[in-house]
Amino acid sequence: MFMIDYKQLNWWYWLVTACLLSAGVSGYEIGFVLAIGVSLSQLIHFAIREQGITAFPVQVRFWYLALLLAAYPEPMQIIYWLPAVGTWARAIFGYCLLARLLSLMPWNRRAPFSVDLFMKTFFSRPGRGNILHGLPLVKKAAGYA
């Protein structure tokens, strides 16, 4: 099931970032720098929009940017393949591994951690709206990455 949502600005951020990361892993290192720039812009935009840095969409963008920055040194650039593939999955299918991982963090969930929660989090079908898949909301943890 495709989730190409070209009417949403956040979808365009992810698409542009995926293209830039693809350029980077194809040998054009400037793609990594530009992807970091787009991710920083996206983080600032969402921090302003969500009026804070603890909102779930801001957390996703913060940790995504942190991953891109950690992978930037030459010996670490092989790591860029993970966000490159993952960002394409987010842009095309709506599946965001990072958002699902962050939804399991103690500050983003009320339900106790369990194998069932893990399975539901990582193996449920992507959907528009909320990554929490019907689990109880925690403050501003609602929102789609």
Side-chain angles (χ1 to χ4, degrees):
M1 174 166 127
F2 295 112
M3 294 188 72
I4 297 171
D5 202 357
Y6 63 89
K7 293 182 181 180
Q8 297 294 319
L9 180 59
N10 68 332
W11 182 82
W12 285 102
Y13 276 128
W14 292 125
L15 179 67
V16 169
T17 304
C19 290
L20 292 169
L21 288 174
S22 294
V25 298
S26 296
Y28 300 97
E29 192 170 326
I30 190 71
F32 298 142
V33 175
L34 294 173
I36 289 168
V38 170
S39 297
L40 179 60
S41 299
Q42 185 178 190
L43 174 64
I44 293 167
H45 173 221
F46 275 80
I48 292 168
R49 188 186 88 175
E50 299 292 328
Q51 298 177 346
I53 58 171
T54 60
F56 189 74
V58 178
Q59 290 179 48
V60 171
R61 284 152 180 86
F62 172 82
W63 288 109
Y64 184 85
L65 177 61
L67 176 60
L68 295 185
L69 291 170
Y72 187 69
E74 182 70 36
M76 303 290 286
Q77 289 185 354
I78 189 76
I79 294 172
Y80 276 123
W81 279 97
L82 180 63
V85 171
T87 306
W88 279 114
R90 168 63 185 92
I92 296 171
F93 302 109
Y95 187 93
C96 183
L97 182 65
L98 180 59
R100 289 168 185 256
L101 179 64
L102 283 171
S103 75
L104 292 177
M105 294 297 114
W107 57 86
N108 287 327
R109 65 177 162 81
R110 287 193 183 152
F113 186 82
S114 65
V115 171
D116 184 51
L117 177 63
F118 178 87
M119 298 299 284
K120 187 174 186 178
T121 299
F122 287 103
F123 297 106
S124 62
R125 185 180 202 164
R128 288 184 182 8
N130 189 338
I131 190 64
L132 298 177
H133 305 293
L135 298 172
L137 301 177
V138 176
K139 295 181 191 171
K140 288 187 140 186
Y144 190 69

